[in-house]
Amino acid sequence: MHSANDVVHSRSLKCEENAMARKLKLVEGTPDYEQHRDLLCRRWLAGACNIIRRRVQMATQIRQAISAGLTHEEAQLSVETTVSELERLQQVLQKVRADAESLQIELPIHTLVTQAHLDPIDQDILMLSLAPHIDVEIRDAIARFNDNLLANYVDVRLCLEFLSTDPIERLALRKRFSVGGNLLASRMVNLTRTRDASGDNLLGYEVNPAPRVMQLLLGELGLLDSAMEDMAKFERPAVTLDKVILSHDLLKPMLSLLTTFSEREALASNSPFALPRGLVMEISGPPGTGKSLLVRALANHIDTPLLELNADRLHEMSDDGFRRALQSGVDQARLGGAMLVLDKVDALLAKQSSRVGEVQVAMQRHSGVVMLVSHDSSALDSNLDRFVVQRLMLPTPNVEQREQLMRLHLPEGVTFARGCKVKELAGIYSFPGALIRNAMQVAVNRAFADTPTKPQITHDMLRKACHEQIRASLDEYAVRKQVHLSLKDLVLPQDTMEDIEELFTAAKFRAHVLHNWGFQQKMSTGKGLVALFSGEPGTGKTLCCTILANELDLQLFQISIPRVVSKWIGETEKNIEKIFETARANHGMLLFDEADSLFAKRTKVESSVDRYSNMATNMLLQEIENFEGIVVLTTNIEKNMDDAFKRRIQFKVHFPFPEPEMRAQIWKTLVPSSCPLEQDIDWPEVGKRYELSGGHIKNAVLRAAYQAAAENEAMNDKHIEYAARQECKNAGRVFRSTTGTDLF
């Protein structure tokens, strides 16, 4: 006879089966697919628990019959009705499997069986341990079997009696609960000693399913361990490889390994060596180069979900917490058939890290794909080389890829305006993908704000949006320079101004020539501009460089040589490398002001000091050769410069000591229009009498203004003569008295 509960349950399943039969083919990932998968999981789990309940009831009936004096054969005959009911329930369960197969839906139990290599006996133990947590009536059935209302849980003794009535077979079944057994080795069940267990008897240990197993069988596809919500993320990525801007030659080796990984068992059978169970790979690159996007695209390409663990969080945990979290992540990835991604492993797997070994063991035991994601592969522990089979280092995108990324991030309905030189800006701003995405987002928002009905991104919009993404800083080695002057404010001889105008023109159209005219493809190095400004101190070299940067809308970084040169071996080279690396990211213009110590001629190696000094010079030569921006070198004595530097200089500008006419113009130009000034000052005479450079004239003008302000008078000849004489004395320069006599 069937209980009322069984009848209701049977009718419910029948209604669901009829509804299922009316459905058409489903597409994985759609809401309809997920709805049917959830329904099938619940039907299977309910049916499986119903079978367990009936089997426990049947075992109870047989035990009671034997206790009443019946033989084993007679006891078996007494439960024929229950046997028939079990056969009917097995048919219901088989119908669920058939429905799932017809809809091409894999039931979670099949995933567990495959991942942990569970045979039918293992499956019985797993379901027996799980059933009381799903169906409360099974606890009552277990209590009746044990003839103890408090003993309503599953322990090893119950499992053995449930699986066999033969004592010899029960002894053999004890191995199922050893550490080497499939269920414990895969951590699908765990054993807990009960309070009333005597001694260390295995029979008294309670058998409980892992929570993630229960959630998986219930049909949940997300994160299976709620304790890891703050450090793990489970997802089925939708991004495709065509959204990843990367050279096919770089991607091909890793893609080939991933796509053939499913065939590894066939490959292993034909190999004389044992192949690893899993596949461990690494993707590295600077921030924003698209590592996360690539990982998701690869997972989608091989039709695999991914479980991402934040390795920074793992690194911060205690030893016990770290081990539990790592193992839980591996288990969840295995149960969900997911790619396990360890993101930001730089600290966790750094050189000499004490946790490298534990991670290595976990990865080697995992039978799926593991992807390590780092910023700098060279900073990781060398022991990783033994089990990381493929590495992919993502470079900063080249010009063509940066242009492609800009166009990829252009939303539908938004266009680039005529005159927006996308390729030129892609060449100027050497950004990773993340900063390009940010710049495009800013530009798109401004385009909508400007013309909501027909948004267009202008050249100026995109240039400003890119400029605002600059993050790097050279404050450690340089001083930022900025003025509000233009080239018209320079007072220089005509030939010097012509050289400066030529340099300005080259800098202004450099990106256009390189990227739009194709010169970029013809040159492997030397794509930047290198200029040498020579002349005495105070002749305007630094001011001119600052004005050029202002006119070109570039940040100028005046490199502080004492901060670069270090007494420690190798530190100077590191500082030089960092300066140029940061300048590339910062779209900056570099000024090495009076850096004769860095550009001096290399010496014959007679000591270790000479050798390391030459190494710094060689490093600077290489960086300048590969730098695609603008570098200005200033020197007071050009003949001291190394010949190798001279060969790399495209523009040489000499700043001569100003002649009297130039000096007079400088005096007059430096006095602001708002300064009270007597009109009878003879500027040509002032320029003739005082042999001062522009820098010293600037000091003298300020000194004269201070004196005039103190006396509450307009600036006049007296103030200027006093200030000029003091500046000449300080500079060791000749000046002439009103009588024409040369004085010091």
Side-chain angles (χ1 to χ4, degrees), residues 549-732:
N550 185 59
E551 293 275 10
L552 294 167
D553 195 22
L554 298 175
Q555 289 193 43
L556 176 67
F557 292 97
Q558 183 176 349
I559 305 302
S560 175
I561 304 304
R563 298 184 189 177
V564 177
V565 179
S566 173
K567 65 180 180 180
W568 304 109
I569 293 175
E571 284 300 312
T572 301
E573 295 91 288
K574 290 181 181 179
N575 294 339
I576 292 171
E577 184 179 14
K578 184 175 180 180
I579 285 170
F580 281 90
E581 180 182 341
T582 308
R584 290 187 189 96
N586 214 343
H587 186 49
M589 178 174 172
L590 294 178
L591 168 61
F592 289 89
D593 200 7
E594 300 181 6
D596 302 270
S597 60
L598 281 177
F599 304 116
K601 292 181 179 179
R602 283 167 287 187
T603 59
K604 182 179 179 181
V605 177
E606 296 179 350
S607 67
S608 60
V609 175
D610 296 333
R611 181 169 64 254
Y612 287 111
S613 176
N614 289 345
M615 286 173 60
T617 303
N618 293 336
M619 168 66 77
L620 191 56
L621 282 168
Q622 294 173 15
E623 291 292 347
I624 288 177
E625 185 77 14
N626 295 321
F627 187 57
E628 296 188 14
I630 302 173
V631 179
V632 178
L633 319 174
T634 73
T635 181
N636 300 326
I637 310 174
E638 184 179 349
K639 65 180 181 180
N640 289 343
M641 182 168 287
D642 193 282
D643 291 338
F645 281 109
K646 294 180 181 179
R647 289 196 301 270
R648 287 164 172 79
I649 293 170
Q650 298 131 304
F651 298 91
K652 291 185 178 181
V653 182
H654 178 65
F655 290 74
F657 191 85
E659 296 295 328
E661 296 79 8
M662 290 288 111
R663 296 200 293 268
Q665 189 176 349
I666 294 171
W667 276 98
K668 188 175 182 179
T669 301
L670 287 176
V671 179
S673 58
S674 57
C675 174
L677 182 70
E678 290 189 0
Q679 299 301 316
D680 59 349
I681 297 177
D682 188 351
W683 293 117
E685 180 63 23
V686 173
K688 182 179 179 181
R689 288 171 57 194
Y690 303 104
E691 296 182 3
L692 294 172
S693 66
H696 288 295
I697 293 174
K698 177 193 70 175
N699 295 340
V701 168
L702 282 173
R703 189 189 292 261
Y706 296 150
Q707 288 295 319
E711 297 174 5
N712 197 22
E713 296 178 356
M715 191 187 300
N716 53 41
D717 285 327
K718 178 185 67 173
H719 303 130
I720 290 174
E721 182 175 351
Y722 170 78
R725 288 188 177 197
Q726 291 300 114
E727 197 64 30
C728 283
K729 290 178 180 179
N730 293 341

Side-chain angles (χ1 to χ4, degrees), residues 41 44-45 108-109 112 127 130 213-219:
C41 290
W44 184 90
L45 191 55
I109 186 61
L112 294 175
M127 287 310 304
L130 180 71
V213 172
M214 188 186 309
Q215 290 178 258
L216 184 68
L217 290 175
L218 284 169

Side-chain angles (χ1 to χ4, degrees), residues 168-179:
I168 297 178
E169 289 182 0
R170 288 178 180 176
L171 288 174
L173 289 172
R174 290 171 69 102
K175 293 182 179 179
R176 303 280 177 163
F177 301 95
S178 65
V179 176

Side-chain angles (χ1 to χ4, degrees), residues 196-211:
D196 55 349
S198 58
D200 197 29
N201 191 347
L202 176 65
L203 298 178
Y205 277 75
E206 185 176 354
V207 183
N208 283 301

Side-chain angles (χ1 to χ4, degrees), residues 112-372:
L112 294 175
V113 169
T114 303
Q115 295 292 338
H117 307 287
L118 304 182
D119 60 18
I121 295 177
D122 287 329
Q123 294 177 52
D124 280 345
I125 296 172
L126 179 63
M127 287 310 304
L128 181 59
S129 69
L130 180 71
H133 299 272
I134 302 296
D135 186 350
V136 69
E137 291 187 11
I138 296 179
R139 289 197 177 275
D140 297 336
I142 292 173
R144 284 192 291 271
F145 177 83
N146 290 324
D147 197 19
N148 184 347
L149 291 177
L150 298 178
N152 60 353
Y153 52 84
V154 177
D155 57 13
V156 174
R157 179 192 59 80
L158 174 65
C159 292
L160 298 181
E161 294 183 4
F162 176 81
L163 293 170
S164 177
T165 57
D166 186 284
I168 297 178
E169 289 182 0
R170 288 178 180 176
L171 288 174
L173 289 172
R174 290 171 69 102
K175 293 182 179 179
R176 303 280 177 163
F177 301 95
S178 65
V179 176
N182 286 338
L183 289 171
L184 266 66
S186 60
R187 286 169 295 281
M188 291 191 180
V189 300
N190 54 73
L191 302 183
T192 307
R193 183 177 176 181
T194 58
R195 285 178 296 178
D196 55 349
S198 58
D200 197 29
N201 191 347
L202 176 65
L203 298 178
Y205 277 75
E206 185 176 354
V207 183
N208 283 301
R212 51 186 167 271
V213 172
M214 188 186 309
Q215 290 178 258
L216 184 68
L217 290 175
L218 284 169
E220 296 185 21
L221 290 174
L223 193 63
L224 300 180
D225 189 344
S226 58
M228 295 186 65
E229 289 180 349
D230 62 337
M231 70 177 69
K233 180 170 59 176
F234 185 95
E235 65 174 299
R236 187 175 288 277
V239 62
T240 53
L241 279 174
D242 61 332
K243 302 297 182 183
V244 178
I245 308 302
L246 188 66
S247 165
H248 180 70
D249 292 337
L250 279 176
L251 185 58
K252 185 178 178 180
M254 181 170 285
L255 196 59
S256 176
L257 274 176
L258 283 171
T259 51
T260 58
F261 179 62
S262 58
E263 305 169 12
R264 62 187 173 87
E265 291 185 3
L267 294 172
S269 63
N270 297 324
S271 172
F273 304 102
L275 294 180
R277 296 179 62 192
L279 181 66
V280 183
M281 313 175 97
E282 181 195 345
I283 295 177
S284 63
T289 48
K291 301 183 293 296
S292 297
L293 182 71
L294 176 58
V295 168
R296 280 156 177 75
L298 290 172
N300 178 54
H301 183 73
I302 60 175
D303 193 26
T304 301
L306 64 83
L307 178 69
E308 180 181 300
L309 298 182
N310 187 325
D312 273 346
R313 290 299 310 277
L314 287 176
H315 180 64
E316 294 169 358
M317 300 178 74
S318 65
D319 289 343
D320 290 340
F322 161 72
R323 294 187 188 98
R324 284 195 299 269
L326 178 62
Q327 200 56 68
S328 178
V330 172
D331 290 344
Q332 290 180 77
R334 183 184 69 249
L335 295 178
M339 175 190 292
L340 180 61
V341 180
L342 280 176
D343 191 24
K344 303 175 183 176
V345 298
D346 299 79
L348 180 66
L349 302 181
K351 292 177 180 178
Q352 308 301 319
S353 171
S354 59
R355 290 176 170 174
V356 172
E358 294 180 75
V359 174
Q360 180 176 349
V361 171
M363 298 302 100
Q364 289 175 328
R365 290 177 178 174
H366 184 47
S367 58
V369 178
V370 179
M371 192 71 71
L372 307 178

